[in-house]
């Protein structure tokens, strides 16, 4: 009896520590899926990760990159991670609402002065804790990857908040983003990223919010004649894996991978602003969209209309998290 219990226990423990992708001597396969194009901050980050892993861990770990929602998309990528169908993702911070509300601090409109402030926050203790905020669901946050600040694109010029009233805007699945558009009398419509271009083209929605790199790489500017440089919110990512998969690898392999993640994070976060600037220039040079630059008074009007959202979501996100985020703005 005792012997069989020990056998069961050993088998169970072995099961816990055995490689998820198993066969002895075979490399661990990391399927890294994402929804954007290769030539974007996240797309380039995924490819650099693949390259460095190939250089340093050949035979032990193999990375396969699936861009543009080709393997899994917004609707099922998190479940795919938990089911072991993919091993790495970098969803926008707006897409984790089902697992934690705390990350929606990044969605609060006009919270951060600029992307440098966001970057400072991502290095603070609070953000490091947020990487572990989904541990109970088996999601393991590795680091934050930058994209950029969001701009408002539309079929008509958006200068004042009233200009947005009555228009349908595509949003990511976030209660905060929904409230943000409702605050200006617009109609938020949740759609997966892969469907945004076609929804804009068909006129199912009239506007969207994205950093320049996403607008350009999906050709959204060709169906959005006006882009307001609002910089009203953040679109950054959390690089995630599943705790089960990550812990199934030997410590030495994990450590090497964590070193690579750090290196790639630094590269992505250094290059993201330049890529967005390049894509801003390309869009404006194409002449397809008119740039709307807000006066300080106009920007303040958007801010005032949208800011009540902070208070509405304070209890969900946590006042401590919001306070910690605010401290990174120089003026506070
Ligand atoms: C979006 O859905 O607009 C973004 O999250 C896409 C992305 O990954 O940048």
């Amino acid at each position: 009896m005792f012997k069989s219990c020990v056998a069961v226990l050993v088998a169970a423990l072995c099961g816990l520590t055995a490689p998820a992708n198993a066969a002895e001597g075979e490399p661990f396969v990391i399927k890294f899926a994402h929804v954007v194009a290769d030539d974007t901050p996240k797309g380039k980050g995924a490819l650099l990760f693949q390259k460095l892993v190939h250089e340093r861990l050949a035979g032990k770990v193999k990375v396969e990159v699936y861009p543009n929602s080709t393997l899994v998309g917004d609707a099922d990528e998190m479940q795919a991670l938990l089911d072991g169908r993919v091993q790495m993702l970098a969803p926008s911070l707006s897409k984790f609402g089902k697992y934690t509300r705390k990350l929606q601090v990044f969605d609060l409109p006009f919270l951060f002065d600029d992307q440098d402030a966001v970057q400072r926050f991502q290095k603070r203790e609070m953000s490091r804790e947020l990487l572990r905020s989904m541990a109970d669901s088996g999601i393991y946050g590795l680091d934050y990857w930058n994209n950029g600040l969001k701009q408002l694109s539309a079929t008509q010029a958006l200068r004042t908040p009233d200009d947005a009233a009555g228009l349908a805007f595509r949003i990511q699945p976030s209660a905060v983003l929904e409230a943000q558009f409702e605050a200006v009398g617009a109609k938020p419509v949740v759609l997966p990223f892969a469907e945004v271009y076609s929804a804009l083209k068909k006129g199912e929605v009239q506007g969207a919010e994205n950093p320049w790199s996403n607008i350009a790489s999906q050709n959204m500017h060709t169906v959005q004649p006006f882009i307001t440089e609002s910089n009203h919110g953040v679109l950054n990512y959390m690089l995630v894996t599943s705790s089960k998969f990550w812990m199934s690898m030997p410590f030495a392999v994990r450590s090497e991978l964590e070193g690579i993640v750090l290196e790639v994070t630094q590269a992505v976060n250094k290059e993201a602003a330049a890529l967005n600037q390049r894509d801003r220039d390309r869009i404006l040079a194409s002449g397809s969209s008119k740039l709307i630059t807000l006066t300080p008074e106009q920007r303040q009007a958007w801010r005032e209309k949208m800011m009540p959202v902070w208070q509405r979501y304070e209890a969900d996100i946590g006042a401590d998290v919001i306070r910690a985020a605010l401290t990174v703005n120089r003026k506070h």
Side-chain angles (χ1 to χ4, degrees):
M1 169 71 180
F2 176 73
K3 256 188 175 167
S4 63
C5 282
V6 170
V8 168
L9 194 62
V10 168
L13 285 173
C14 287
L16 277 178
T17 53
N21 58 338
E24 193 74 11
E26 288 292 307
F28 290 90
V29 176
I30 298 181
K31 292 187 182 188
F32 187 157
H34 64 81
V35 300
V36 294
D38 284 334
D39 192 17
T40 58
K42 176 162 62 181
K44 284 167 104 75
L47 292 173
L48 178 61
F49 178 72
Q50 180 181 45
K51 177 173 173 280
L52 296 184
V53 170
H54 180 69
E55 283 168 12
R56 298 182 200 164
L57 284 166
K60 293 187 183 151
V61 182
K62 182 167 179 267
V63 177
E64 296 169 3
V65 177
Y66 299 89
N68 281 319
S69 311
T70 44
L71 184 61
V72 286
D74 282 337
D76 60 343
E77 63 181 10
M78 293 301 291
Q79 197 51 51
L81 184 76
L82 295 172
D83 292 348
R85 284 179 282 133
V86 298
Q87 287 68 38
M88 229 184 231
L89 302 169
S92 140
L93 294 162
S94 313
K95 292 180 181 166
F96 293 105
K98 192 169 160 204
Y99 304 96
T100 175
R101 299 304 293 272
K102 292 184 180 185
L103 286 170
Q104 287 185 349
V105 69
F106 288 94
D107 284 342
L108 292 176
F110 296 99
L111 182 74
F112 296 102
D113 283 352
D114 49 32
Q115 184 69 292
D116 286 348
V118 187
Q119 174 70 16
R120 283 195 291 280
F121 180 53
Q122 288 170 178
K123 289 187 175 161
R124 294 273 169 98
E125 183 69 27
M126 177 60 81
S127 292
R128 305 329 285 176
E129 282 172 24
L130 293 180
L131 288 175
R132 300 286 166 265
S133 60
M134 298 177 284
D136 287 351
S137 305
I139 299 164
Y140 190 83
L142 290 161
D143 220 324
Y144 296 92
W145 282 8
N146 292 355
N147 187 342
L149 297 182
K150 291 180 288 188
Q151 319 304 341
L152 290 166
S153 64
T155 47
Q156 62 190 60
L158 304 176
R159 291 194 175 84
T160 70
D162 285 347
D163 294 332
L167 299 186
F169 283 82
R170 178 271 171 169
I171 59 162
Q172 305 175 78
S174 152
V176 170
L177 298 180
E178 195 175 324
Q180 167 195 279
F181 279 106
E182 282 169 356
V184 295
K187 182 173 171 257
V189 179
V190 176
L191 284 176
F193 188 64
E195 290 171 27
V196 182
Y197 171 80
S198 126
L200 289 169
K201 192 175 159 70
K202 289 190 203 140
E204 289 164 1
V205 290
Q206 290 79 48
E209 51 165 10
N210 262 292
W212 293 104
S213 67
N214 281 357
I215 299 175
S217 57
Q218 300 296 318
N219 282 321
M220 289 181 204
H221 55 292
T222 62
V223 287
Q224 295 278 263
F226 297 93
I227 303 179
T228 299
E229 194 158 35
S230 49
N231 289 321
H232 63 283
V234 184
L235 200 159
N236 283 357
Y237 308 110
M238 189 187 284
L239 182 66
V240 290
T241 182
S242 88
S243 318
K244 188 172 162 211
F245 169 71
W246 205 247
M247 296 310 161
S248 74
M249 291 186 286
F251 177 77
V253 172
R254 238 162 43 217
S255 303
E256 183 76 36
L257 283 172
E258 279 164 6
I260 294 174
V261 164
L262 188 64
E263 211 173 310
V264 177
T265 298
Q266 284 165 352
V268 170
N269 293 354
K270 196 160 159 240
E271 210 188 349
L275 285 175
N276 275 289
Q277 182 63 41
R278 178 201 70 182
D279 289 339
R280 177 186 188 276
D281 294 347
R282 281 184 182 168
I283 291 172
L284 299 184
S286 79
S288 64
S289 314
K290 182 170 160 43
L291 179 73
I292 312 282
T293 307
L294 298 177
T295 63
E297 294 74 28
Q298 285 169 338
R299 192 160 190 277
Q300 185 57 20
W302 286 92
R303 192 179 153 89
E304 276 168 20
K305 272 277 164 99
M306 290 179 166
M307 268 194 56
V309 172
W310 294 19
Q311 226 179 0
R312 189 159 148 208
Y313 286 93
E314 185 178 293
D316 278 358
I317 295 169
D320 55 332
V321 181
I322 298 178
R323 246 194 329 272
L326 279 171
T327 59
V328 297
N329 287 332
R330 276 185 210 98
K331 64 178 179 244
H332 288 277

